[in-house]
Amino acid sequence: MPAEAVDVVVIGMGPGGEDAATRLAKAGLAVVGVEGRLVGGECPYYACVPTKIMVRAAGALAEARRVNGLAGSATVQPNWDPVAARIRDEATDDWDDTVAVERFEKAGGAFVRGWGRISAPGEVTVATDAGDRVFRANKAIVLNPGTAPAVPPLRGLAGTPYWTNREAVTATEVPDSLIVLGGGPVGVEFAQIFARFGAKVTVVVPRRLLPQDEPEAGELLAKVFEAEGITVRTGVRGTGVSHDGGAFALELDGGETLRAQQLLIATGRRTDFAALGIGAIGLDESAKSIAVNEHMRAADGVWVIGDVAGHGAFTHMSMYQSRIAVRDILGEPGAPADYRAVPRVTFTDPEIGAVGLTEEQARAAGLTVRTGITDLTTSTRGWIHKVGNAGFIKLVEDADRGVLVGATSAGPDGGEVLGALVVAVHAQVPTATLREMIYAYPTFHRAIESALDALG
Ligand SMILES: Cc1cc2nc3c(=O)[nH]c(=O)nc-3n(C[C@H](O)[C@H](O)[C@H](O)COP(=O)(O)OP(=O)(O)OC[C@H]3O[C@@H](n4cnc5c(N)ncnc54)[C@H](O)[C@@H]3O)c2cc1C
């Protein structure tokens, strides 16, 4: 089969892939964008956007309940229907990517629906419904295949109607009870959402909630969850699953069995590099991520962006890396990738925003670490806010240089308060300068000043 010659082939049109393919097409290159499922990737259909629609709705319920004791009395009747409808209609356009495909084609790109793999250096073969198509990419191949839900090899799990994030966002009803396996950002967001809509939720985690974050974040969330009636089982693992047609039973390593109507698997993400054919260019197909340089190059003529580049599985990371890869492909000058100030937000209530290194990571990096932490409930705004005011700000300083290398902002709008701390870490603003700033009274972000005082 003769190969079709183009400048660039983008395999996987996640947030970064779509962005890169569009920018490169707008720059005048002949770009083929290949997508096996939906243009836009996981984020708008099954991840960030629908879950944040759910978070918003669950938050509205929680706020309505907080009227009691603050401003009157309210009885709230949760109703899942508008949430399911909004996800279907607004966030995902009914799981249809026609608009996104049209946008890319309008920018000058050629779209191919199918599964692409590198079949030889500089060559991509795409399996489409109408058969294979082969492309020769004269300038670049960009890989943005993203990740899929990882399902652990639990005895009895295969073949049961368990949920991953993909089924959870398409739920048309709230289950009476739900076991969430995994306590990372995905697990805790879903746990709180479904609990606030009336499900009896149990979270099962081998270590603690939010194991990638500061321990104070997981402890705070565990306390809030307990107060909201969510059971958190830390230090336990699931060993086996059964489903009797109506309910799940999850066996734990201690011998105990938990039962619930639904089981959500939120135990991480997986990749399939063999299907992507990266062995054809000498890359390790069994690796967890693909090693890239600071311009996102993985091999001669191959750029890799997004979750699989191994620098954080976030939409903003995929888009950030897209810009860097596009500049490099076009031969334009620009700053190389810099991961010192990567922000991440877990959209629970309280929101957990974090940037840079945790205290443990900073110590492991050999820095002279000073930390300062302040409890948001004791801040003026926290005291005024009352119910729903749980949170803290924690700063991690490289004491030798007098700059912040990490920070966590947990609380109401913790992800928004984080903005100031991201600037501080990214721009290496001296803590002496941060201490001289004026923090508006009475805001949550004013607690940054107290956390700076606590640094000593
Ligand atoms: C429940 C949940 C909530 C999340 N919430 C947030 C959030 O609030 N904020 C945030 O920043 N991040 C969030 N994330 C993470 C975010 O979804 C991802 O980091 C983001 O989608 C970027 O991924 P990506 O660009 O690597 O590719 P993806 O979005 O995974 O897209 C990759 C695309 O490539 C396609 N593909 C794969 N292989 C091939 C192939 N061989 N040929 C053709 N097409 C292929 C796939 O079909 C897919 O459409 C969340 C994730 C989950 C699971």
Side-chain angles (χ1 to χ4, degrees), residues 10-17 34-49 51-52 112 114-117 126 144-149 165-166 169 185-186 189-190 269 272 275-276 305-309 312-319 343 345 347:
V10 178
I11 303 181
M13 300 272 274
V34 183
E35 172 55 56
R37 293 169 73 225
L38 292 162
V39 172
E42 195 85 356
C43 178
Y45 304 99
Y46 301 106
C48 332
V49 175
T51 57
K52 265 77 265 180
V112 177
W115 296 98
R117 71 187 157 82
V126 184
N144 177 231
T147 51
N165 63 293
R166 292 183 183 166
V169 300
V186 173
E189 285 183 9
F190 278 125
R269 311 286 297 170
D272 186 353
L276 203 56
I305 58 177
D307 291 7
V308 297
F314 311 111
T315 288
H316 45 273
M317 181 60 76
S318 189
M319 309 280 285
V345 179
F347 292 86

Side-chain angles (χ1 to χ4, degrees), residues 105-176:
E105 289 178 338
K106 234 183 182 169
F111 179 66
V112 177
R113 180 90 60 199
W115 296 98
R117 71 187 157 82
I118 300 181
S119 35
E123 184 186 276
V124 172
T125 300
V126 184
T128 75
D129 283 348
D132 282 1
R133 284 177 72 177
V134 181
F135 296 94
R136 172 136 293 280
N138 289 326
K139 208 169 172 64
I141 295 173
V142 179
L143 300 178
N144 177 231
T147 51
V151 177
L154 283 183
R155 181 172 29 85
L157 179 63
T160 64
Y162 63 85
W163 282 354
T164 66
N165 63 293
R166 292 183 183 166
E167 292 75 28
V169 300
T170 56
T172 50
E173 280 177 19
V174 174
D176 294 339

Side-chain angles (χ1 to χ4, degrees), residues 49-61:
V49 175
T51 57
K52 265 77 265 180
I53 287 175
M54 291 170 157
V55 164
R56 167 76 179 123
L61 284 177

Side-chain angles (χ1 to χ4, degrees), residues 361-415:
Q361 288 166 339
R363 291 193 192 284
L367 302 181
T368 308
V369 173
R370 279 205 307 184
T371 61
I373 188 160
T374 189
D375 179 352
L376 223 54
T377 61
T378 62
S379 69
T380 308
R381 181 58 182 273
W383 179 83
I384 292 167
H385 196 81
K386 289 281 179 289
V387 58
N389 63 357
F392 66 88
I393 289 179
K394 178 172 178 177
L395 307 178
V396 181
E397 184 192 38
D398 175 348
D400 290 341
R401 289 190 302 137
V403 294
L404 298 183
V405 291
T408 299
S409 150
D413 299 320

Side-chain angles (χ1 to χ4, degrees), residues 193-258:
I193 289 164
F194 284 109
R196 287 179 164 185
F197 273 91
K200 178 87 195 93
V201 176
T202 304
V203 186
V204 175
V205 275
R207 276 180 63 207
R208 57 177 169 86
L209 297 183
L210 298 181
Q212 320 281 6
D213 282 302
E214 294 283 8
E216 292 88 347
E219 285 158 22
L220 171 71
L221 217 50
K223 259 192 218 153
V224 170
F225 275 15
E226 197 188 331
E228 292 193 11
I230 300 170
T231 305
V232 179
R233 301 293 308 270
T234 52
V236 284
R237 287 172 190 277
T239 53
V241 172
S242 60
H243 185 259
D244 65 6
F248 282 90
L250 173 71
E251 292 162 33
L252 302 181
D253 49 5
E256 193 186 345
T257 300
L258 303 177

